[in-house]
Amino acid sequence: MKRVIGMLLLIMLSFSQVSEKAVAVSGNELMDAFSIRITVVEEDVEYQWEFDNPNHYEYEKGTKVLKGDHAKIQVIKMTSLLQLDQDKTAEQYKKVLKPYYPQMSSFEIRWMDAHSERYIWSWEK
């Protein structure tokens, strides 16, 4: 029980730069998602966030790879930030990402929802 509470506190602390509304949305996004792939390239460093339902999480920064609970935190932070929505545009996602990755040269977001509908947004400088 202490471990669960500790993990919840760690997750809550990791959302310090994300609004409460975004945190509430992220749980639904992951529950409604079958697969998410997000890639951001900034100054020759590639960042990747991956989720496959029900519980595969992976986060990569350059050559560093995290899996499991450590990656889950990063994936939840990113999906909370983006608030994936089929009606959003690549330009809207660019505006969200740019403050966090000011030297961003490209991004790609791939999302397959629970109904196997696929959505792709990409941008390149």
Side-chain angles (χ1 to χ4, degrees):
M1 186 62 156
K2 287 182 181 181
R3 186 175 183 189
V4 172
I5 291 171
M7 184 58 89
L8 288 173
L9 286 173
L10 180 61
I11 291 171
M12 288 173 52
L13 288 173
S14 69
F15 288 114
S16 62
Q17 295 183 8
V18 180
S19 73
E20 289 179 15
K21 180 180 178 188
V23 172
V25 172
S26 74
N28 290 335
E29 285 175 349
L30 293 179
M31 286 173 34
D32 291 339
F34 184 75
S35 178
I36 297 172
R37 299 284 186 274
I38 301 164
T39 304
V40 173
V41 178
E42 180 184 51
E43 296 182 335
D44 298 325
V45 176
E46 186 173 279
Y47 301 84
Q48 287 188 329
W49 298 261
E50 297 181 6
F51 168 74
D52 290 310
N53 202 342
N55 61 2
H56 171 80
Y57 298 90
E58 190 170 308
Y59 169 70
E60 298 177 28
K61 178 181 178 183
T63 59
K64 181 180 176 185
V65 178
L66 297 176
K67 295 184 180 198
D69 289 339
H70 298 293
K72 181 177 182 177
I73 293 167
Q74 298 301 320
V75 171
I76 290 173
K77 284 172 62 174
M78 181 52 76
T79 57
S80 296
L81 177 67
L82 293 173
Q83 298 183 37
L84 297 175
D85 185 307
Q86 64 191 28
D87 296 324
K88 285 190 176 179
T89 65
E91 189 62 31
Q92 288 172 304
Y93 288 125
K94 178 185 168 194
K95 287 179 183 177
V96 171
L97 291 167
K98 201 68 170 169
Y100 296 91
Y101 302 93
Q103 302 302 314
M104 178 174 62
S105 59
S106 68
F107 75 80
E108 182 176 86
I109 302 167
R110 294 177 172 267
W111 173 36
M112 185 187 328
D113 68 15
H115 305 289
S116 297
E117 295 291 328
R118 297 169 193 254
Y119 304 93
I120 300 172
W121 300 269
S122 62
W123 172 82
E124 191 168 343
K125 202 176 208 183

